[in-house]
């Protein structure tokens, strides 16, 4: 990390995840979707708006016997009718809207689970990058110090000068490793600050997380749980049910819509005439014009079913792949002692002390220093890859811990 960095706040992985999920600005979009779907559900259960019909014209009255004009004047009529739908179409539209609310809720839960997994992965990556940089800086500092000590002595032959050059080269390599780790940490930090809506210069430090990796059930059991709990599959199943309701609604569209309501009719020519009563109108589904809409909705239903089947197959593949990735990394970590980085750190420190005493050659010294860096990186990277696979499995299984 840069020396000019602000004071860092220390967070655990759990605290970081809570911070990211609570403050992520994109989460508000999914909450708004739930509110919008709720309003649409309320609107779907209402009747259609009443219709007002007004008519204006002229009226002439003629004598049937003589054909003479008896009188003429204006005429107008006003009616208010209410469309009434039969066949449970309002209930079907409300059921479709309720599925939309469920979809919005599933979308929010899926986003939160994915966001939590990403925050945990980034948090561990930030911790690992800091550990890599710290190990590399220790090695570089030792090499630089020893190089200065050797050069300041009275060189007896070319060996001290060559040893100093070798130490400086070792320091340069370690410093490059530290710089790469710093760059990785900064990139992770900026993404975390974006996810938690924090200022980009804000610095955080991750407290050493729990390093244990749990045992997983058999891949078939993990796949079965994922098929039952996966958010994406739940959303696709809801969409399939919703499309089935749309097919039923399209079939019901053939049932006529009845409009009923009062009317008032007044005319004036030779006399004033007033008519009022109840007006009733309806459609006659003679030509079956709704058949095309039914066929289109059935096609969308078949497409939704095919999408669901393909998503289930893809989920199964992803589960088996991530389980294999996790178990491979876990087996590799199981072959190494838990304190491998600490053991190599102690060996590197012992090599530094013995080299100063002239007990070991420079080749052994540089080899042990590089081994310390390589072992630290290998353990941290392997654990990060295993954790990433585990979090991917949890995200596929709706956040289930998946422990036996």
């Amino acid at each position: 990390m840069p020396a000019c960095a602000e004071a860092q706040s220390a967070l655990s992985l759990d605290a970081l995840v809570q911070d990211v999920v609570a403050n992520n600005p994109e989460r508000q979009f999914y909450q708004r979707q739930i509110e919008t779907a709720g309003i649409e559900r309320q609107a779907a259960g209402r009747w259609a708006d009443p219709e007002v019909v007004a008519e204006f014209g002229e009226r002439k009255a003629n004598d049937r016997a003589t054909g003479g004009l008896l009188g003429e004047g204006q005429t107008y009529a006003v009616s208010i009718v209410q469309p009434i739908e039969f066949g449970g179409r309002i209930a079907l539209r409300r059921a479709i809207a309720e599925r939309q609310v469920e979809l919005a809720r599933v979308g929010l839960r899926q986003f939160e689970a994915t966001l939590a997994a990403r925050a945990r992965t980034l948090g561990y990556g930030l911790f690992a990058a800091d550990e890599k940089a710290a190990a590399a800086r220790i090695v570089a500092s030792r090499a630089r110090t020893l190089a200065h000590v050797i050069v300041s002595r009275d060189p007896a032959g070319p060996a001290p000068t060559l040893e100093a050059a070798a130490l400086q080269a070792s320091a340069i390599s370690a410093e490059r490793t530290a710089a790469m780790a710093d760059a990785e940490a900064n990139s992770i930090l900026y993404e975390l600050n974006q996810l938690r809506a924090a200022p980009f210069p804000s610095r955080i430090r991750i407290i050493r997380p729990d390093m244990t990796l749990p045992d997983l059930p058999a891949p078939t059991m993990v796949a079965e749980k994922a098929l039952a709990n996966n958010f994406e599959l739940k959303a696709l199943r809801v969409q399939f049910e919703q499309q089935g309701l749309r097919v039923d609604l399209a079939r019901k569209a053939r049932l006529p819509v009845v409009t009923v309501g009062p009317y008032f009719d007044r005319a004036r020519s030779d006399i004033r005439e007033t008519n009022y009563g109840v007006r009733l109108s309806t459609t006659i589904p003679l030509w079956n014009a709704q058949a095309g809409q039914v066929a289109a909705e059935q096609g969308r239903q078949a497409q939704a079913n095919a999408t669901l089947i393909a998503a289930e197959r893809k989920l199964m593949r992803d589960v088996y792949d991530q389980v294999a990735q996790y178990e491979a990394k876990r087996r590799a970590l199981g072959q190494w002692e838990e304190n491998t980085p600490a053991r190599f750190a102690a060996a590197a420190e012992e090599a530094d002390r013995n080299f100063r005493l002239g007990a070991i050659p420079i080749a052994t010294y540089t080899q042990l220093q590089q081994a310390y860096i390589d072992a630290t990186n290998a353990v941290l990277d392997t654990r990060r890859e295993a954790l990433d696979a585990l979090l991917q499995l949890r995200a596929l299984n709706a956040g289930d811990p998946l422990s036996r």
Side-chain angles (χ1 to χ4, degrees):
M1 293 290 182
C4 59
E6 299 175 2
Q8 299 179 357
S9 57
L11 293 175
S12 66
L13 277 183
D14 291 337
L16 177 65
V17 170
Q18 293 174 2
D19 186 22
V20 168
V21 173
N23 298 317
N24 185 265
E26 294 182 49
R27 186 173 178 270
Q28 299 173 2
F29 165 76
Y30 290 93
Q31 292 175 323
R32 182 59 184 167
Q33 287 292 98
I34 294 176
E35 296 172 4
T36 302
I39 295 173
E40 292 176 351
R41 178 180 58 185
Q42 294 175 359
R46 298 170 184 159
W47 283 12
D49 291 332
E51 300 173 2
V52 177
V53 181
E55 300 175 359
F56 301 92
E58 294 289 329
R59 173 171 175 161
K60 291 183 179 180
N62 296 307
D63 191 324
R64 294 182 62 184
T66 64
L69 179 65
L70 297 177
E72 60 182 351
Q74 296 178 338
T75 179
Y76 67 89
V78 178
S79 63
I80 301 176
V81 294
Q82 172 65 56
I84 301 175
E85 298 179 279
F86 296 97
R89 278 184 285 195
I90 293 178
L92 281 172
R93 280 200 295 269
R94 184 175 178 84
I96 292 171
E98 286 176 349
R99 299 302 190 282
Q100 201 65 31
V101 174
E102 188 176 349
L103 277 174
R105 289 174 178 160
V106 169
L108 176 60
R109 293 196 298 270
Q110 180 177 2
F111 177 76
E112 288 179 341
T114 305
L115 187 62
R118 182 60 180 165
R120 199 172 289 275
T121 299
L122 290 172
Y124 185 84
L126 182 60
F127 165 78
D130 288 342
E131 291 286 298
K132 292 178 187 177
R137 284 198 184 90
I138 291 173
V139 171
S141 176
R142 287 173 182 161
R144 291 284 185 192
T145 302
L146 281 177
H148 287 307
V149 170
I150 291 174
V151 169
S152 65
R153 293 175 182 169
D154 249 355
T161 303
L162 295 176
E163 288 179 349
L167 290 170
Q168 289 172 348
S170 177
I172 290 172
S173 176
E175 287 165 353
R176 181 180 183 279
T177 301
M180 292 173 61
D182 282 341
E184 181 184 5
N186 283 326
S187 178
I188 292 172
L189 186 62
Y190 296 147
E191 184 176 350
L192 281 172
N193 287 338
Q194 176 188 351
L195 293 178
R196 64 194 188 106
F200 284 103
S202 299
R203 318 300 298 189
I204 59 173
R205 181 177 59 83
I206 303 301
I207 301 171
R208 178 175 290 274
D210 183 9
M211 298 294 189
T212 57
L213 296 173
D215 294 337
L216 290 183
T220 52
M221 294 183 61
V222 178
E224 288 174 4
K225 288 184 178 181
L227 286 174
N229 301 328
N230 182 259
F231 287 130
E232 182 181 357
L233 291 187
K234 284 183 177 180
L236 289 174
R237 289 176 187 131
V238 171
Q239 289 176 352
F240 182 71
E241 293 174 6
Q242 194 178 45
Q243 193 56 43
L245 294 172
R246 287 196 176 99
V247 172
D248 293 339
L249 184 60
R251 289 192 179 118
K252 299 289 186 182
R254 189 154 191 232
L255 296 175
V257 176
V258 176
T259 59
V260 61
Y263 75 90
F264 178 83
D265 185 356
R266 173 167 287 185
R268 183 174 62 183
S269 53
D270 58 328
I271 60 173
R272 289 186 177 180
E273 182 180 355
T274 301
N275 300 306
Y276 54 86
V278 176
R279 174 169 292 164
L280 183 68
S281 66
T282 185
T283 57
I284 301 176
L286 185 61
W287 313 119
N288 192 21
Q290 299 80 14
Q293 181 64 26
V294 172
E297 296 296 346
Q298 287 176 334
R300 295 188 185 99
Q301 186 182 32
Q303 182 182 13
N305 186 43
T307 302
L308 176 60
I309 293 173
E312 289 176 345
R313 295 293 297 173
K314 181 179 181 301
L315 176 67
M316 293 280 285
R317 186 195 71 191
D318 290 343
V319 166
Y320 277 91
D321 180 34
Q322 294 300 327
V323 168
Q325 295 286 340
Y326 176 77
E327 293 296 348
K329 307 301 179 183
R330 191 165 168 268
R331 281 196 302 270
L333 288 168
Q335 294 173 359
W336 308 332
E337 295 181 9
E338 187 174 351
N339 62 341
T340 294
R343 188 161 54 84
F344 275 92
E349 186 176 359
E350 182 68 15
D352 181 72
R353 187 177 66 83
N354 280 282
F355 180 72
R356 291 172 184 270
L357 297 175
I360 60 174
I362 190 170
T364 303
Y365 171 82
T366 55
Q367 184 178 6
L368 279 172
Q369 301 303 316
Q370 187 60 41
Y372 168 40
I373 294 176
D374 292 343
T376 300
N377 291 355
V379 172
L380 290 171
D381 287 343
T382 305
R383 195 175 297 277
R384 177 177 56 81
E385 291 163 359
L387 180 63
D388 185 58
L390 179 63
L391 292 174
Q392 290 291 333
L393 284 170
R394 289 179 179 176
L396 292 174
N397 198 37
D400 193 300
L402 290 173
S403 55
R404 286 183 181 173

